[in-house]
Amino acid sequence: MIQLTATPASALVDEPVHIRATGLSPFQVVILQASLADEKGNLFHSQAYYKANEAGEVDLQQAPSLGGDYIGVHPMGLFWSLKPEKFLMKLVKKDVVNSPFLVQIKLYDSNLQLTDIATTAPKVSLTLERWYVAPGVKRIQVREGPLRGTLFLPPGEGRFPGIIDLFGGIGGLIEYRASLLASHGFVSLALAYFNYEDLPAQPEKTELDYFEEAVNFLLRHPKVLGPGIGIVSISKGAEIGLSMAIHLKQVTATVLINGPNFILGIPQVYHGQISKPLALSPQSLSINALGLAEFQHSFEEARREASETSLLPIEKAQGHFLFIVGEDDKNLNSKVYAEQATQQLSRYGKNNWTLLSYPGAGHLLEPPYSPLCCASEISSLHLSIHWGGEVTPHAAAQEHSWKEIQKFLRKHLVPVVTSQL
């Protein structure tokens, strides 16, 4: 009898699952398919062909996919190769606490026509729960003064390293990365800064005082270890994260994922002092063959003409930096910007940085096993944007960088206690 097993059947989305099929004929070729529906009912699916061994087993930790959405030995390939049925759709978890994503794994005969899969019953199937929050993590809505966001507290006694989680130019409140970091022992503040509740829909400036208030709010919390906090940031959020590290001595560990080393779009204001953005060059915007906008060269003309003073003075930061770069980023020329920032630090005799650069990875680097979103529609811009990335190397980058982010944050936020003899 054919059996399909997956261990564990319920886990965090960044945890691997061991999938096995048994009871097959020796050397039988089968199709394994994964599918899920997001909270709006949008469907995502993936599939791969596998050949059983002489014992009639397919073990995804050892068996290579022969074809389909990926090729080779990839135990979690069915998860990170999930693709939307509707083009330009990104998989996003809104309610991180009350429900998991349900992933169905199905096994079919390989002689089945792909067009018939939707109307054919699988030989065997199972359903997995993929959670964005661990048991015991508390979610607290933050509406303190001007601050808007969500605080996630890890379970257990004692104090934990604190981080602020910043996303980019789509705005709103995005919680799934902060909830996962809390599941791994960080007090995490998912911070909204525009297009949410009573925050401006399209702000005319970035007020760094708001982010300073968020840092002080976090450090006042009795569960936060202190004396410093960390930042995890991407894209426009990384511009703000970099500025926070420069201006706020309480920021001691900053993760910058595919961000600029200058100010994007709108001015920054801190304690009344205005810093101007670099101008976007509309003529440098590219539209590819699929009609997707690519912005990665849109600031090059301004950068060439700008003086060194137009770049953020990263050398003034007291804390440490982890730059994470997808080399196939089509939205920002992020590898060049990160290299320029690290060269700037080196010129000032600083070695407080690490640069991780991933060939084939795109702009939207997410927690492990998240599907690649290579393009999506941004309604506020009335554009469909190409984010870049190739499925397999992007997945490898996500898995590696997530571990490095947590190691980096712990190293610089958790004091080392040395015993005194």
Side-chain angles (χ1 to χ4, degrees):
M1 185 175 72
I2 299 173
Q3 286 190 312
L4 192 59
T5 60
T7 309
S10 179
L12 290 172
V13 294
D14 61 353
E15 293 177 3
V17 176
H18 184 190
I19 297 173
R20 290 177 69 233
T22 57
L24 301 167
S25 302
F27 311 113
Q28 180 181 349
V29 177
V30 296
I31 302 170
L32 283 175
Q33 184 192 72
S35 62
L36 71 79
D38 71 9
E39 290 152 319
K40 293 183 178 178
N42 298 303
L43 295 175
F44 295 75
H45 51 76
S46 63
Q47 58 195 27
Y49 289 82
Y50 284 93
K51 179 187 276 190
N53 62 16
E54 65 276 6
E57 296 181 358
V58 171
D59 184 335
L60 267 61
Q61 288 187 346
Q62 302 168 5
S65 164
L66 307 176
D69 287 319
Y70 57 93
I71 293 174
V73 179
H74 297 291
M76 292 294 288
L78 288 171
F79 296 83
W80 50 249
S81 69
L82 285 163
K83 294 177 175 63
E85 278 197 350
K86 295 179 183 176
F87 189 48
L88 304 176
M89 191 67 61
K90 185 179 188 300
L91 183 65
V92 177
K93 191 75 172 78
K94 298 284 191 183
D95 181 359
V96 296
V97 170
N98 296 305
S99 64
F101 275 141
L102 299 177
V103 181
Q104 281 197 309
I105 308 291
K106 299 176 181 178
L107 185 147
Y108 296 91
D109 278 332
S110 65
N111 57 10
L112 190 67
Q113 294 294 319
L114 293 180
T115 53
D116 295 333
I117 282 184
T119 56
T120 304
K123 294 292 184 183
V124 64
S125 68
L126 53 80
T127 302
L128 303 175
E129 294 182 350
R130 303 293 283 167
W131 287 91
Y132 283 81
V133 66
V137 171
K138 291 181 181 175
R139 178 186 181 275
I140 302 166
Q141 194 144 22
V142 175
R143 289 193 186 96
E144 181 162 317
L147 295 180
R148 299 292 179 266
T150 306
L151 187 67
F152 291 94
L153 302 177
E157 298 300 319
R159 296 189 298 162
F160 303 91
I163 65 111
I164 293 175
D165 188 46
L166 297 172
F167 275 85
I170 59 173
L173 179 61
I174 302 171
E175 299 183 355
Y176 59 82
R177 194 168 59 197
S179 65
L180 279 174
L181 285 166
S183 301
H184 294 293
F186 298 90
V187 174
S188 304
L189 174 60
L191 187 63
Y193 56 98
F194 76 99
N195 197 26
Y196 178 73
E197 292 191 348
D198 55 352
L199 297 174
Q202 291 294 336
E204 296 178 356
K205 57 188 175 182
T206 299
E207 296 272 9
L208 282 183
D209 303 64
Y210 174 82
F211 299 91
E212 183 174 33
E213 196 155 336
V215 168
N216 293 330
F217 164 80
L218 197 58
L219 284 170
R220 285 195 303 269
H221 198 282
K223 281 277 189 182
V224 173
L225 187 59
I229 66 136
I231 308 287
V232 178
S233 57
I234 185 170
S235 196
K236 173 69 176 180
E239 171 216 308
I240 296 168
L242 176 50
S243 296
M244 291 170 73
I246 291 166
H247 290 287
L248 307 175
K249 65 180 184 301
Q250 307 98 310
V251 176
T252 55
T254 306
V255 178
L256 304 167
I257 304 168
N258 288 328
N261 59 332
F262 51 87
I263 298 170
L264 287 170
I266 56 174
Q268 276 187 10
V269 182
Y270 181 59
H271 292 184
Q273 185 174 346
I274 299 172
S275 301
K276 293 181 179 179
L278 279 191
L280 181 142
S281 306
Q283 70 273 17
S284 300
L285 170 68
S286 299
I287 305 294
N288 73 6
L290 296 175
L292 303 173
E294 298 180 349
F295 284 91
Q296 82 263 43
H297 299 303
S298 297
F299 294 93
E300 297 312 290
E301 186 176 324
R303 282 177 67 250
R304 279 194 299 271
E305 295 176 359
S307 65
E308 183 97 351
T309 56
S310 299
L311 303 178
L312 288 165
I314 188 171
E315 70 277 359
K316 294 182 179 179
Q318 299 302 306
H320 290 78
F321 293 99
L322 175 60
F323 296 89
I324 295 174
V325 168
E327 295 184 14
D328 193 42
D329 185 349
K330 302 296 186 187
N331 187 58
L332 284 174
N333 201 356
S334 50
K335 184 181 182 185
V336 167
Y337 303 155
E339 288 175 344
Q340 191 172 26
T342 57
Q343 288 164 10
Q344 197 170 331
L345 287 168
S346 296
R347 278 201 307 275
Y348 282 87
K350 298 210 162 193
N351 60 357
N352 57 340
W353 55 271
T354 301
L355 171 59
L356 301 176
S357 190
Y358 297 100
H363 185 71
L364 297 180
L365 284 164
E366 303 267 36
Y369 319 127
S370 302
L372 166 67
C373 176
C374 63
S376 65
E377 195 169 13
I378 305 297
S379 55
S380 60
L381 297 177
H382 307 291
L383 278 176
S384 298
I385 294 183
H386 187 198
W387 304 112
E390 302 163 25
V391 176
T392 303
H394 188 91
Q398 290 185 154
E399 190 169 358
H400 183 265
S401 63
W402 187 242
K403 293 173 184 172
E404 294 302 309
I405 287 169
Q406 293 176 64
K407 283 193 327 196
F408 170 81
L409 292 171
R410 287 196 177 91
K411 178 179 179 181
H412 297 294
L413 297 178
V414 181
V416 177
V417 178
T418 54
S419 59
Q420 295 187 356
L421 299 176

